[in-house]
Amino acid sequence: MPDQTAPSLLFVGGAANATLAVDVVATAVAQARKRGLRIHMTNQEETFAALPATTALADAASVVDFEKRGEHAAWAGERLAAGENFDIVFGVREMAQEAVAEAAEAFGRPGNPPHVVNRVRNKDAARAALSAAGFLQPACQVFADAASALEFLKNSTGPWVVKPRDAMGSEGVTRLDEPAQLEAALKLMPHQGAFIVEEFVEGPEYSVEGVFIGGAPHMLAVTSKELLPPPHFFEVEYLIPAPMPEETEREIVEQVTAALHALEVRFGQFHVELWVTERGVVMGEVHVRNAGGWIHRMLAHVIPGLEWFGLVFDDVLGLPIDKAALVPSRGAAIRFLTPTPGRLLAIEGWEEVLAHPAVLYAELAVAVGDVIHPYESVEHRVATIAVGADTAIEARDLLDKLEASVRFVTEPVEPAAVSAGVAEHA
């Protein structure tokens, strides 16, 4: 029986039905328990049913649909009328962040205002706000249909990027080098409706991981990214901390800090994407949540003792936070392996990877007989290896050796045999 006098956490949106999402929520819940928090979790009914073990991590659970605008605010009103409130309102899922903001506002708790979250989640609105504030931004335009976008493409100079307004995980994001490629790109969209066409930005891509402490952004680390060649934006490697000159890192931190203030973001975790170009730092997408891609585990190695989710709880509870200790002292790297697409006949060397003492996390998402899909988004990741070392470069060198030790044997299949998921089971 939980202590009813202990501070309480409303965990909006719970977990998605995916290995990474479940691990993120389990980590966040463990850090909440360490602080003595009672936990009430909301989620969609079908996800609760699919994840009974994750649901059981909470003291109480309510079916509330985070995808329906206003639903969490209405639920909060009912709870308040019944005499119940929460000390902290928090969530980790991208698609639940507007619901997190609604609930925090309704309960009168710290959080990002709903209109701020809505703006950063709509990529074109965030681009417009950053551009108006003087930040370098790729030219960007929203289109309702292919005909109007095609006319724009024919009268402008590429390359371009086509993307949904509010998806995640690089889903539906495609580079176009000529207008004729638009039709195929739109077929990859996760849903119908308005979409964005924007200028392709030349330059290495990074992200900044951080947390707000006392309303001010604190940068934990800069992450470097490696991607497969276009047309898709499939990320295959992260290094933390990103190897770069100090002046470049300083410029990135300054730009991200200023951008978060300009967008009026003020609470919780953040994951901000950007490019370093000849013109300077070009801001990418801003997320008011933790990063994906197992970065939460990498950061815990890079900054010994770090509890990224716990910092949010400590901030609300007024507990002391030693910001001087929140700096990287080690390195980590992750590789998302990309074996040749086709039917998987055999996997060799994976057990040796699992047994390596430097491995922070390793996951194999395919089995013999599956059909490996061509790589278009994070949904198509088939194998993951994350390692920790004294430096990010040493971690990357170790990944090279581990990846070379694993052998995937595949055979070609007819295009019709490849499903739209990670793999098609035989």
Side-chain angles (χ1 to χ4, degrees), residues 34-94:
K34 187 175 177 180
R35 288 153 177 83
L37 295 173
R38 291 179 292 119
I39 301 169
H40 191 126
M41 191 177 291
T42 66
N43 208 335
Q44 295 162 318
E45 185 172 11
E46 61 272 21
T47 313
F48 269 145
L51 300 172
T54 303
T55 305
L57 295 175
D59 300 304
S62 296
V63 174
V64 191
D65 192 341
F66 58 81
E67 292 191 292
K68 293 182 179 178
R69 183 168 292 177
E71 190 114 331
H72 270 79
W75 180 83
E78 295 172 0
R79 292 281 167 166
L80 286 168
E84 183 178 11
N85 205 328
F86 297 90
D87 298 283
I88 305 171
V89 179
F90 180 73
V92 296
R93 297 176 69 175
E94 171 69 24

Side-chain angles (χ1 to χ4, degrees), residues 239-302:
L239 299 183
I240 306 176
M244 62 174 58
E246 288 185 11
E247 59 269 24
T248 303
E249 181 178 358
R250 188 161 48 248
E251 182 184 5
I252 288 174
V253 170
E254 289 174 355
Q255 287 289 304
V256 169
T257 300
L260 290 169
H261 286 309
L263 291 170
E264 301 176 274
V265 182
R266 66 191 186 197
F267 178 80
Q269 298 166 304
F270 57 86
H271 166 68
V272 180
E273 299 166 351
L274 56 94
W275 299 271
V276 175
T277 74
E278 294 180 353
R279 296 183 295 158
V281 173
V282 177
M283 301 303 304
E285 295 176 11
V286 175
H287 303 277
V288 290
R289 55 160 172 82
N290 61 286
W294 301 96
I295 285 176
H296 70 291
R297 287 209 181 189
M298 296 170 70
L299 279 177
H301 172 83
V302 169

Side-chain angles (χ1 to χ4, degrees), residues 63-269:
V63 174
V64 191
D65 192 341
F66 58 81
E67 292 191 292
K68 293 182 179 178
R69 183 168 292 177
E71 190 114 331
H72 270 79
W75 180 83
E78 295 172 0
R79 292 281 167 166
L80 286 168
E84 183 178 11
N85 205 328
F86 297 90
D87 298 283
I88 305 171
V89 179
F90 180 73
V92 296
R93 297 176 69 175
E94 171 69 24
M95 305 304 285
Q97 291 308 313
E98 291 190 56
V100 172
E102 282 183 4
E105 183 177 67
F107 284 117
R109 297 311 185 199
N112 293 305
H115 76 276
V116 169
V117 178
N118 178 265
R119 181 169 55 206
V120 299
R121 291 210 63 253
N122 284 285
K123 299 175 176 66
D124 54 300
R127 289 257 185 271
L130 287 172
S131 182
F135 293 89
L136 290 175
Q137 287 286 274
C140 170
Q141 194 164 335
V142 180
F143 295 96
D145 54 63
S148 56
L150 190 60
E151 186 66 25
F152 168 80
L153 293 173
K154 288 178 178 178
N155 291 285
S156 60
T157 303
W160 311 269
V161 176
V162 176
K163 61 172 66 175
R165 293 185 76 187
D166 63 353
M168 56 181 289
S170 300
E171 188 177 14
V173 182
T174 308
R175 169 173 161 158
L176 305 184
D177 290 297
E178 55 185 52
Q181 297 170 327
L182 177 64
E183 182 178 356
L186 292 181
K187 290 180 180 178
L188 298 173
M189 289 285 172
H191 48 73
Q192 299 299 312
F195 58 92
I196 293 171
V197 177
E198 68 180 29
E199 171 191 8
F200 177 78
V201 180
E202 296 280 0
E205 185 175 342
Y206 300 90
S207 65
V208 173
E209 327 308 338
V211 62
F212 281 85
I213 300 174
H218 180 87
M219 314 298 160
L220 296 172
V222 180
T223 304
S224 67
K225 302 183 179 186
E226 290 292 331
L227 287 71
L228 285 181
H232 305 296
F233 293 81
F234 189 86
E235 297 171 345
V236 294
E237 180 183 276
Y238 304 149
L239 299 183
I240 306 176
M244 62 174 58
E246 288 185 11
E247 59 269 24
T248 303
E249 181 178 358
R250 188 161 48 248
E251 182 184 5
I252 288 174
V253 170
E254 289 174 355
Q255 287 289 304
V256 169
T257 300
L260 290 169
H261 286 309
L263 291 170
E264 301 176 274
V265 182
R266 66 191 186 197
F267 178 80
Q269 298 166 304

Side-chain angles (χ1 to χ4, degrees), residues 239 333 335 387 391-402:
L239 299 183
R335 183 82 47 81
V387 300
T391 70
I393 298 301
E394 290 174 0
R396 183 180 62 189
D397 291 344
L398 175 56
L399 276 180
D400 289 341
K401 295 176 182 177
L402 291 175

